[in-house]
Amino acid sequence: MTRDTKTAQPNRTPVTPAPGPRGLPLLGNLGPWQRNTAQFLLDLQRDYGDIVRMKLGPLTVHQVSDPIAVRHILVDNNQNYGRGLLYDQFKLVMGEGLLTSDGDFWRGHRRAVQPAFLKSAMGAVAPNVVQATAEMLDTWEVKARTGKPIDLLGEMLRLTLVTLSRSLFDHDVKPSTQELKQLADGVVEVMFKRGTVSELLPSWLPTARNKKIARIDEILERVVREVRDSHTVSGGGFLTSLMKQAVDPVTGEHWTDREIRDELVTIYLAGHETTAVALFWTLVSLAEHPWAKEELNSEIDQVLGGAPPNIETVDSLDYTRMVIEESLRLYPPIWAYPRGALGDDTVGGHSIPAGSNVLLSPLVSHRNPRYWENPDTFNPLRFAPAAVRKRPRMAYFPFGGGPRLCVGQLMAMLELRMIISMISQRFELSLTPDADLAYGAPLISLRPHQDVMVRLRPRTRTAGPVIAG
Ligand code: HEM
């Protein structure tokens, strides 16, 4: 199957393989990919352009960062692109959930859970966000008094997990920070540090890897069990009941326990880590740019007074939204994701053969100097409506696009605006002098490569209207 792309040059232009780096025999470009994947991908764009071909062992992978070509793959010709081999790694933990599945199975599941993520459902999410954030900020009062710095990402991970769990599953999950870290590190190691000898050993041997897999399963199974039990006791959340009622459109059968388990794990993992990472980088960007912080504080004082945000007032926080969007540009939590070409295709004059892989990287596209002036500089005004209109749409895609657009986008943007404004109402955050803000060599989400500690100082409000909460 050969389809023309909207980027396509006139038909007379010969279709050529995309340019790319020469690699070693057999290994291809695995060396630089494994050393620091994010840097390698940024370098590829700089050195070879917007459509680049690389070899990762036996796999041929095309990095696509031209906005029209990105739209071609995600939207216009999306039916030619499946999840691909690289997404299979996720199945080890997530099974066949929304993120990893394809075709009719995916369509049925997406349709079943979608109502919990529509705008109409967000009214019920907002009070949970306010409540959970207020609880966290109360603990911060105590921490601020002791003067001890806090682990910012750890705090955000716990907050987004609690918020998600209460909002979607009506369940209070209270994992320890230690457990959360074990979970995240374990998931990364099991899914991505492949090709080691320990992988070949039987699963019952108590190797370090097998112990990690067992620990991940233990934590996840406990959460799934708790959600199911809470459903039978108190009616459960909207999403739990949608899953319980869901039927397979072909067989008419209710979802199996395994289907429910995989979808719960997918939504927990896809939903809380991403939002926590986005909160982390937004707060760090504000701490690094006092002028932006001042502007944001002034807006929240004007719009909210001392009251917590709600589903309506949050829409008036324009500058806050721009700060968040700029942070998602510079530090997109899902910084790269794959597709597998089902049929032959042509993108931007280059061939994408059937069976090869495509990698879309918001991190790379969002720093493409062709569309972003001084791409490494933090500037929220890039997201003023007039500036947005001047850019091709897919120059910016932190939530993906097309039919596989992030199902939780509305929820994430609601949470982000509410939590950032509530934190800013009560605290000034400053980085400790030794804070290392490198994102290192990320594997799944764009976490900092080391814990980043911040100091808290209670903040007094500038003058502004006091709005009843
Ligand atoms: C700032 C926060 C978030 C970011 C940056 C983000 C990013 C993304 C991206 C880029 C994709 C598309 C991946 C692809 O096409 O291969 C995606 C898909 C997905 N996201 Fe999010 N996400 C966020 C928050 C959430 C939340 C809050 C939830 C749920 C509570 C969620 C659940 C999902 C699911 C289930 C998918 C798969 C959707 C499908 O293929 O049908 N995400 N997300």
Side-chain angles (χ1 to χ4, degrees), residues 83 87 98-99 106 110 117 164 168 266-267 270-271 274-275 278 328 333-334 337 339 398-400 404-408 411-412 415-416:
R83 303 266 93 186
Y87 252 123
L98 270 187
L99 203 60
W106 164 78
R110 175 93 185 202
F117 296 98
L164 183 148
L168 297 177
T266 296
I267 285 168
T274 43
T275 315
L328 288 171
I334 300 298
Y337 46 89
R339 292 290 188 268
F399 293 100
R404 306 299 296 246
L405 180 73
C406 173
V407 77
M411 182 171 165
E415 281 185 81
L416 285 163

Side-chain angles (χ1 to χ4, degrees), residues 57-167:
L59 302 183
T60 301
V61 181
H62 300 86
Q63 166 163 283
V64 173
S65 50
D66 169 75
I68 300 173
V70 170
R71 195 188 69 197
H72 175 79
I73 286 160
L74 287 180
V75 186
D76 304 335
N77 198 21
N78 75 80
Q79 66 278 15
N80 188 48
Y81 292 92
R83 303 266 93 186
L85 280 175
L86 297 169
Y87 252 123
D88 282 352
Q89 317 271 26
F90 287 68
K91 290 190 179 173
L92 274 169
V93 175
M94 292 179 171
E96 290 284 338
L98 270 187
L99 203 60
T100 49
S101 59
D102 252 329
D104 288 342
F105 182 90
W106 164 78
R107 235 180 309 282
H109 275 231
R110 175 93 185 202
R111 209 170 287 141
V113 304
Q114 188 85 37
F117 296 98
L118 298 177
K119 195 160 179 22
S120 51
M122 292 303 114
V125 171
N128 283 308
V129 179
V130 170
Q131 171 77 21
T133 310
E135 285 167 17
M136 179 192 76
L137 295 179
D138 288 344
T139 71
W140 282 18
E141 296 281 351
V142 181
K143 289 173 181 160
R145 275 199 291 278
T146 65
K148 260 179 73 180
I150 57 161
D151 165 10
L152 187 57
L153 181 60
E155 293 286 315
M156 294 303 106
L157 282 167
R158 206 170 6 194
L159 175 61
T160 52
L161 193 67
V162 170
T163 309
L164 183 148
S165 200
R166 285 186 191 165
S167 301

Side-chain angles (χ1 to χ4, degrees), residues 64 69 87 128 178 203 221 228 242 247 252 266 281 441 443 468:
V64 173
Y87 252 123
N128 283 308
Q178 192 51 27
S203 58
E221 291 312 328
R228 283 211 194 118
L242 287 176
V247 285
T266 296
W281 288 113
L443 284 165

Side-chain angles (χ1 to χ4, degrees), residues 40-314:
F40 175 56
L41 298 185
L42 286 163
D43 293 347
L44 285 184
Q45 196 281 330
R46 185 198 56 210
D47 298 341
Y48 298 95
D50 290 347
I51 301 172
V52 186
R53 187 167 171 273
M54 67 190 110
K55 288 290 276 183
L56 302 177
L59 302 183
T60 301
V61 181
H62 300 86
Q63 166 163 283
V64 173
S65 50
D66 169 75
I68 300 173
V70 170
R71 195 188 69 197
H72 175 79
I73 286 160
L74 287 180
V75 186
D76 304 335
N77 198 21
N78 75 80
Q79 66 278 15
N80 188 48
Y81 292 92
R83 303 266 93 186
L85 280 175
L86 297 169
Y87 252 123
D88 282 352
Q89 317 271 26
F90 287 68
K91 290 190 179 173
L92 274 169
V93 175
M94 292 179 171
E96 290 284 338
L98 270 187
L99 203 60
T100 49
S101 59
D102 252 329
D104 288 342
F105 182 90
W106 164 78
R107 235 180 309 282
H109 275 231
R110 175 93 185 202
R111 209 170 287 141
V113 304
Q114 188 85 37
F117 296 98
L118 298 177
K119 195 160 179 22
S120 51
M122 292 303 114
V125 171
N128 283 308
V129 179
V130 170
Q131 171 77 21
T133 310
E135 285 167 17
M136 179 192 76
L137 295 179
D138 288 344
T139 71
W140 282 18
E141 296 281 351
V142 181
K143 289 173 181 160
R145 275 199 291 278
T146 65
K148 260 179 73 180
I150 57 161
D151 165 10
L152 187 57
L153 181 60
E155 293 286 315
M156 294 303 106
L157 282 167
R158 206 170 6 194
L159 175 61
T160 52
L161 193 67
V162 170
T163 309
L164 183 148
S165 200
R166 285 186 191 165
S167 301
L168 297 177
F169 304 111
D170 192 20
H171 174 65
D172 229 351
V173 59
K174 287 206 174 98
S176 65
T177 309
Q178 192 51 27
E179 261 186 342
L180 278 182
K181 286 218 165 110
Q182 275 180 342
L183 184 62
D185 294 348
V187 168
V188 168
E189 181 157 347
V190 169
M191 298 204 299
F192 288 95
K193 294 195 178 152
R194 311 294 304 277
T196 57
V197 176
S198 74
E199 211 179 302
L200 304 172
L201 298 172
S203 58
W204 48 264
L205 267 185
T207 60
R209 182 174 190 273
N210 286 341
K211 280 189 197 159
K212 278 207 175 97
I213 296 178
R215 183 74 187 124
I216 293 169
D217 275 347
E218 205 180 291
I219 298 172
L220 291 176
E221 291 312 328
R222 200 195 71 216
V223 173
V224 171
R225 213 174 33 245
E226 282 175 10
V227 170
R228 283 211 194 118
D229 290 352
S230 80
H231 179 63
T232 50
V233 175
S234 67
F238 186 26
L239 187 53
T240 323
S241 52
L242 287 176
M243 289 190 193
K244 290 254 171 184
Q245 288 158 23
V247 285
D248 184 305
V250 178
T251 62
E253 302 275 338
H254 278 283
W255 282 9
T256 60
D257 279 0
R258 184 72 206 180
E259 280 176 281
I260 295 178
R261 179 262 177 216
D262 288 353
E263 220 52 271
L264 272 168
V265 168
T266 296
I267 285 168
Y268 265 109
L269 292 182
H272 95 280
E273 160 104 14
T274 43
T275 315
V277 169
L279 285 165
F280 170 85
W281 288 113
T282 306
L283 291 167
V284 163
S285 301
L286 286 168
E288 279 193 301
H289 302 95
W291 48 268
K293 177 79 186 135
E294 214 170 287
E295 181 85 29
L296 181 135
N297 283 351
S298 150
E299 176 180 84
I300 58 171
D301 290 349
Q302 282 297 321
V303 174
L304 303 177
N310 61 41
I311 189 84
E312 274 123 30
T313 53
V314 89

